[in-house]
Amino acid sequence: LDIRLALTGFGNVGQGLATLLDRYGDTYLKRYGVALRLSGVADRAGAAVSLAGLDPVSLLEAKEQAGTVSAHSSGVPGLHGSDFLDRAQAHILVEAASTNFDDAEPGWSYVCGALERKMDVVLASKGSLALHFRELMENASRRGLQVQYSATVGAPVPSLQIADRALIGSEILAFEGILNGTTHQVLTAMTQGSSYDEGVRQAQEMGIAETDPTLDVDGWDAAAKVAIVANSVFGADLRIGDVDRVGIRGVTAAELAQARESGEAIKLIARAERTEAGVTAWVRPERRPLDDPLGRLRGDAMGIVFFTRPLGAIAATVDPSGESGGISTAMTVLRDVLNLARDRGWTEPHQT
Ligand SMILES: NC(=O)c1ccc[n+]([C@@H]2O[C@H](COP(=O)([O-])OP(=O)(O)OC[C@H]3O[C@@H](n4cnc5c(N)ncnc54)[C@H](OP(=O)(O)O)[C@@H]3O)[C@@H](O)[C@H]2O)c1
């Protein structure tokens, strides 16, 4: 079965997706019986569209050579918004454009437009979820459509899948995680003697830093993620502004060294818990023992621990794979796309 994807944003994540479709497209066809085709790809200068599917390699070349996919042989300079969605005629919108936490654009308009056109949605950008979570989910469910967003919450840790599948029926009391790779990379680099600025630069070179690194270092990105996970697992309706937030700018090399001498590490911990008064969430630097599931992590590794009854604490952690952040995030976008295709009955049966 051909599945058409409309992709908005062709930066680290969008290009990662094109790279992976080139790498694994044939495998997915054989293994799952689905041909994932990019029927439209948009960046700031315009878009490329083809219902037969755009060749990922030639898209990457056009982007590299001309700086925009609209220079592709199927490119249309200035094509955006509703016109883009109409022409791409996709089954699924993959939203991977840069975002913000003021108005969530351009993602919010693309997501609403996609739902109006009966497209399912897979999100890499967090703005829409951090500002409009419940509205978005209700809109999709009214229309019988799916919104998947595992890439937004500390990809590639399968936090949402654990909560949704492995912990169904159990009580989740709280969860805490290292949900932001950039700040973790900076703290690890500072522990190893680098300056704060060097740590930020390393994260940018790895393709894991947000375009505007203040979103990472001041804890906004982690706050968005903890709100999104809390909304998903607790059925809460938190917005990013409801999360108490302290970033890592105040963490000093002396504090990191002192923690280490006591067998601990300072991590930017994001935590949410269900209390009698409702769901509360916060982000702040905290000390964790070096043998703790989160305290032992290094580099840009991420992880989450769910505190549950009666199963106890369940942790999932992912060590850096060596692939760029864009590739790892794109892999989790594909995970959502393939799971969505399976839920819809588009994949062939008896395949995993
Ligand atoms: N990088 C990661 O590992 C990661 C992880 C999780 C989530 N995310 C989220 O995923 C999204 C993409 O991240 P990224 O690292 O790929 O960012 P990026 O490298 O900065 O790329 C952003 C892309 O969005 C495009 N864009 C901006 N405004 C647009 C508009 N109005 N219409 C169409 N395209 C537009 C940009 O176009 P131009 O190319 O023309 O500038 C660019 O291609 C972000 O929202 C980010 O927060 C990223």
Side-chain angles (χ1 to χ4, degrees):
L1 184 76
D2 273 15
I3 298 179
R4 289 189 299 276
L5 308 176
L7 169 65
T8 43
F10 204 59
N12 291 311
V13 176
Q15 291 178 44
L17 185 63
T19 304
L20 291 176
L21 288 175
D22 179 52
R23 199 190 284 178
Y24 296 124
D26 291 345
T27 307
Y28 294 160
L29 183 56
K30 276 196 214 111
R31 203 187 288 170
Y32 310 119
V34 289
L36 301 179
R37 308 227 183 269
L38 288 167
S39 61
V41 178
D43 60 21
R44 273 181 302 177
V49 278
S50 162
L51 294 189
L54 298 154
D55 167 44
V57 173
S58 61
L59 280 170
L60 291 164
E61 281 167 5
K63 185 73 181 168
E64 195 186 337
Q65 282 160 19
T68 170
V69 291
S70 65
H72 186 266
S73 54
S74 304
V76 187
L79 182 63
H80 280 135
S82 310
D83 292 342
F84 167 73
L85 293 174
D86 285 339
R87 288 185 60 173
Q89 292 187 30
H91 299 94
I92 301 174
L93 169 73
V94 175
E95 212 301 293
S98 30
T99 191
N100 69 74
F101 299 123
D102 298 322
D103 64 6
E105 292 295 351
W108 181 236
S109 296
Y110 274 116
V111 167
C112 294
L115 294 177
E116 276 166 28
R117 288 167 180 76
K118 291 257 163 247
M119 295 179 196
D120 294 306
V121 173
V122 172
L123 290 164
S125 65
K126 297 164 208 85
S128 304
L129 296 164
L131 297 181
H132 305 288
F133 188 90
R134 188 165 287 177
E135 183 186 345
L136 174 54
M137 295 308 151
E138 286 176 359
N139 183 356
S141 111
R142 253 196 326 273
R143 297 168 193 266
L145 296 168
Q146 289 202 24
V147 179
Q148 298 293 338
Y149 47 94
S150 70
T152 66
V153 291
V157 185
S159 309
L160 301 174
Q161 287 79 359
I162 292 173
D164 188 47
R165 291 277 162 175
L167 294 176
I168 189 169
S170 301
E171 206 179 337
I172 300 176
L173 308 169
F175 66 85
E176 65 180 29
I178 295 175
L179 301 181
N180 179 270
T182 299
T183 44
H184 197 200
Q185 180 63 38
V186 175
L187 291 174
T188 305
M190 284 174 73
T191 307
Q192 291 162 351
S194 297
S195 70
Y196 170 86
D197 288 338
E198 283 162 358
V200 172
R201 216 170 23 252
Q202 277 174 23
Q204 284 170 329
E205 280 162 16
M206 291 161 71
I208 55 171
E210 289 295 321
T211 321
D212 171 5
T214 58
L215 291 180
D216 292 309
V217 297
D218 291 332
W220 290 107
D221 180 74
K225 288 168 174 164
V226 76
I228 295 167
V229 180
N231 288 342
S232 178
V233 307
F234 295 136
D237 190 21
L238 296 182
R239 288 171 180 76
I240 187 168
D242 299 324
V243 179
D244 282 341
R245 180 183 49 79
V246 180
I248 63 161
R249 283 185 207 260
V251 179
T252 63
E255 285 169 336
L256 287 161
Q258 207 178 32
R260 200 161 180 82
E261 276 162 27
S262 328
E264 293 184 324
I266 297 178
K267 304 291 182 189
L268 187 69
I269 300 292
R271 183 177 170 104
E273 49 196 41
R274 207 200 296 259
T275 68
E276 303 243 311
V279 175
T280 57
W282 44 256
V283 172
R284 61 182 180 234
E286 290 208 338
R287 285 163 76 139
R288 286 289 180 278
L290 286 171
D291 56 0
D292 172 274
L294 300 180
R296 74 162 188 84
L297 297 179
R298 302 280 176 278
D300 64 332
M302 285 187 270
I304 196 162
V305 185
F306 287 99
F307 300 96
T308 78
R309 239 182 343 231
L311 297 178
I314 298 199
T317 61
V318 176
D319 289 331
S321 67
E323 295 269 20
S324 78
I327 289 277
S328 304
T329 304
M331 191 68 241
T332 64
V333 165
L334 278 177
R335 167 172 83 193
D336 280 354
V337 167
L338 290 168
N339 274 320
L340 200 157
R342 180 160 55 182
D343 289 352
R344 286 234 171 267
W346 293 339
T347 53
E348 291 189 351
H350 312 304
Q351 300 277 351
T352 54

